[in-house]
């Protein structure tokens, strides 16, 4: 699978478990970083995307002589992850609880060959440093696109219909129809623009079609003309021309150096006053304070999404406290269905890696020193 060569002994001794564990000659040390499930771990046998579920691959890995360490402790020099950086061969992490793979960590990871993202989006990795070090970086392309597109549609409706204040009224024992209805709108007839029309963006546009809204999209690559006609979306080459036309803007672009902080105060000012924004892409695409200020002064009528920077979001993150938001932890792409898909994809790539076979070409983010086109 074109990975950096190993420079370590093929035999490791570990006291990570209750007793010493020996793995076979040729075995690999694999570290997985996932979110902790705690009391919810046993509530669903298909809940595999957590520390306890470990992607459902522990028995398979260990029966084949590999050493598999799983943790949620990822930050700082004293973290569990840091203890294993120097001699791990494979790191599996996830956008929902990302292990930030910095250039400094890559430099320490002398035996690291492969970094896998259980899900979609590998911006938590310093991709240029990974490429320079000869690492392979791959993700499970398509594994949670449906999950995210459905979530985006849900948040659009939640914000347009002013749902959350109504829910909060019920919980508090209140009843004030006017307090909800004065800023509740139909989706039909509104103009919805997506910034990015890749796999998720296209799925969202397809799901929006039955709502009879006007659909626009901006992307570096135009959708296939037949599909564009079938969906009924109009291509906008100039983002700044598209933004003021939209009642709803959905962010569907990857986080790159070009898109980091892209939606700052100046860019938000180009939008229509009273715009609704949904961002399930990456939090760092937005200027955090600019969004909070625009929600507070009413320029943005509602902001929803599940992505933050950093993650987990600190308790004092301004998006937690700004008005008219529909924010949650990063959950849209980690439904049970999505977990099963990305767990299966990770297992398939590990199997190929052990056999020295290539991955599906669309899964590569860094291969032989080259970055995938969306990250260039």
């Amino acid at each position: 699978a074109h990975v950096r060569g190993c420079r370590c002994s093929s035999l490791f001794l570990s006291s990570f478990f209750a007793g010493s564990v020996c793995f076979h000659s040729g075995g690999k040390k694999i570290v997985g970083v996932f979110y902790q499930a705690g009391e919810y771990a046993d509530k669903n046998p298909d809940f595999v995307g957590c520390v306890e579920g470990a992607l459902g691959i522990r028995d398979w890995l260990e029966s084949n002589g590999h050493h598999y360490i799983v943790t949620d402790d990822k930050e700082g020099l004293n973290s569990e992850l840091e203890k294993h950086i120097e001699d791990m061969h494979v790191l599996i992490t996830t956008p929902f609880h990302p292990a930030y793979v910095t250039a400094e960590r890559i430099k320490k990871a002398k035996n690291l060959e492969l970094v896998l993202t259980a899900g979609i989006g590998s911006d938590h990795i310093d991709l240029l440093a990974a490429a320079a070090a000869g690492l392979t970086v791959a993700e499970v392309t398509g594994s949670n696109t449906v999950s995210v597109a459905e979530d985006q549609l849900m948040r659009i409706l939640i914000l347009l219909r002013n749902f959350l204040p109504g829910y909060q009224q019920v919980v508090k024992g209140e009843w004030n129809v006017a307090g909800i209805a004065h800023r509740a709108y139909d989706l039909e007839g509104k103009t919805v623009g997506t910034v990015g029309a890749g796999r998720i963006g296209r799925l969202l546009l397809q799901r929006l079609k039955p709502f009879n809204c006007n659909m626009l999209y901006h992307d570096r690559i135009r959708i296939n003309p037949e599909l564009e006609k079938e969906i009924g979306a109009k291509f906008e080459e100039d983002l700044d021309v598209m933004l003021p036309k939209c009642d709803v803007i959905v962010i569907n672009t990857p986080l790159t150096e070009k898109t980091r902080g892209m939606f700052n105060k100046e860019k938000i000012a180009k939008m229509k006053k009273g715009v609704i924004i949904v961002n399930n892409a990456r939090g760092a695409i937005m200027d955090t304070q600019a969004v909070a200020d625009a929600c507070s002064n009413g320029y943005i009528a509602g902001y929803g999404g599940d992505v933050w920077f950093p993650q987990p979001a600190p308790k004092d993150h301004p998006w937690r406290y700004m008005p008219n938001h529909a924010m949650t932890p990063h959950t849209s792409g980690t439904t049970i269905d999505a977990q099963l898909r990305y767990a299966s994809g990770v297992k398939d790539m590990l199997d190929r890696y052990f056999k020295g076979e290539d991955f599906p070409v669309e899964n590569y983010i860094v291969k032989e020193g080259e970055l995938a086109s969306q990250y260039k």
Side-chain angles (χ1 to χ4, degrees):
H2 302 288
V3 291
R4 186 165 71 180
C6 176
R7 285 175 272 165
C8 62
S9 166
S10 59
L11 183 66
F12 289 87
L13 295 176
S14 172
S15 58
F16 182 76
F17 302 107
S20 292
V21 178
C22 175
F23 61 100
H24 304 161
S25 177
K28 301 291 186 180
K29 183 173 184 178
I30 299 157
V31 177
V33 179
F34 312 111
Y35 53 83
Q36 191 79 244
E39 62 185 291
Y40 304 104
D42 299 326
K43 296 195 179 292
N44 189 330
D46 292 330
F47 190 9
V48 296
C50 54
V51 167
E52 294 85 348
L55 298 184
I57 57 175
R58 181 180 293 285
D59 290 346
W60 172 68
L61 285 173
E62 293 180 350
S63 68
N64 283 283
H66 305 293
H67 187 190
Y68 188 33
I69 293 165
V70 178
T71 183
D72 70 326
D73 184 16
K74 62 190 180 72
E75 303 294 344
L77 295 176
N78 296 318
S79 65
E80 188 65 31
L81 170 60
E82 199 74 20
K83 295 175 187 175
H84 302 284
I85 281 178
E86 288 191 5
D87 63 354
M88 65 184 178
H89 299 92
V90 180
L91 174 63
I92 308 168
T93 183
T94 167
F96 316 105
H97 188 74
Y100 292 104
V101 186
T102 61
E104 185 179 5
R105 279 179 160 173
I106 289 170
K107 189 175 181 180
K108 289 181 185 176
K110 301 299 184 184
N111 296 327
L112 185 62
E113 301 169 350
L114 175 64
V115 183
L116 294 176
T117 297
I120 302 171
S122 298
D123 47 89
H124 50 280
I125 302 160
D126 187 325
L127 298 177
L128 291 176
L135 300 182
T136 294
V137 180
E139 57 189 42
V140 191
T141 298
S143 59
N144 54 17
T145 50
V146 168
S147 314
V148 176
E150 288 183 357
D151 187 278
Q152 290 175 338
L153 179 56
M154 175 189 74
R155 289 179 205 262
I156 290 170
L157 290 167
I158 282 173
L159 289 166
L160 272 175
R161 300 306 294 263
N162 208 22
F163 173 83
L164 288 172
Y167 169 77
Q168 290 159 359
Q169 279 188 24
V170 170
V171 171
K172 295 175 183 176
E174 300 171 356
W175 189 278
N176 183 352
V177 174
I180 305 158
H182 79 285
R183 61 194 310 272
Y185 296 91
D186 297 340
L187 177 53
E188 185 173 47
K190 301 300 182 293
T191 298
V192 181
T194 175
V195 183
R199 291 177 177 85
I200 295 171
R202 291 195 299 270
L203 285 172
L204 174 65
L205 291 171
Q206 288 171 324
R207 282 153 178 74
L208 284 168
K209 185 177 180 180
F211 287 88
N212 297 319
C213 49
N214 306 309
M215 293 180 289
L216 308 176
Y217 75 94
H218 169 78
D219 200 296
R220 60 192 177 87
I221 301 172
R222 191 162 184 170
I223 295 175
N224 175 284
E226 289 183 11
L227 180 59
E228 185 180 275
K229 185 177 179 182
E230 178 190 326
I231 294 172
K234 180 185 174 186
F235 176 64
E236 292 280 352
E237 187 172 359
D238 189 329
L239 177 60
D240 289 346
V241 172
M242 184 182 85
L243 292 178
K245 297 177 182 178
C246 298
D247 302 296
V248 179
I249 293 169
V250 186
I251 312 301
N252 272 311
T253 185
L255 176 63
T256 66
E257 287 311 305
K258 185 177 178 181
T259 63
R260 186 178 300 274
M262 177 180 182
F263 286 91
N264 54 21
K265 183 178 180 180
E266 291 72 29
K267 191 68 79 176
I268 290 170
K270 296 179 186 294
M271 301 177 187
K272 183 185 293 187
K273 184 177 182 181
V275 69
I276 281 172
I277 302 174
V278 172
N279 178 16
N280 285 26
R282 288 295 181 265
I285 294 171
M286 316 302 289
D287 179 319
T288 298
Q289 195 57 51
V291 170
D293 291 344
C295 282
S296 296
N297 65 32
Y299 198 87
I300 295 175
Y303 182 91
D306 67 335
V307 288
W308 311 67
F309 184 77
Q311 288 187 182
K315 290 184 179 180
D316 62 352
H317 197 293
W319 290 357
R320 291 181 182 269
Y321 309 105
M322 64 189 183
N324 303 317
H325 78 74
M327 294 298 297
T328 66
H330 195 171
T331 57
S332 64
T334 188
T335 62
I336 295 297
D337 306 276
Q339 289 175 47
L340 293 173
R341 289 190 293 265
Y342 62 67
S344 174
V346 166
K347 184 177 180 182
D348 174 69
M349 286 192 287
L350 285 173
D351 190 45
R352 291 169 185 256
Y353 160 68
F354 297 143
K355 294 175 180 177
E357 299 174 356
D358 278 349
F359 303 156
V361 65
E362 66 271 15
N363 287 7
Y364 283 108
I365 302 302
V366 176
K367 180 184 180 184
E368 298 176 341
E370 288 290 320
L371 272 64
S373 60
Q374 67 266 36
Y375 285 102
K376 287 183 178 177

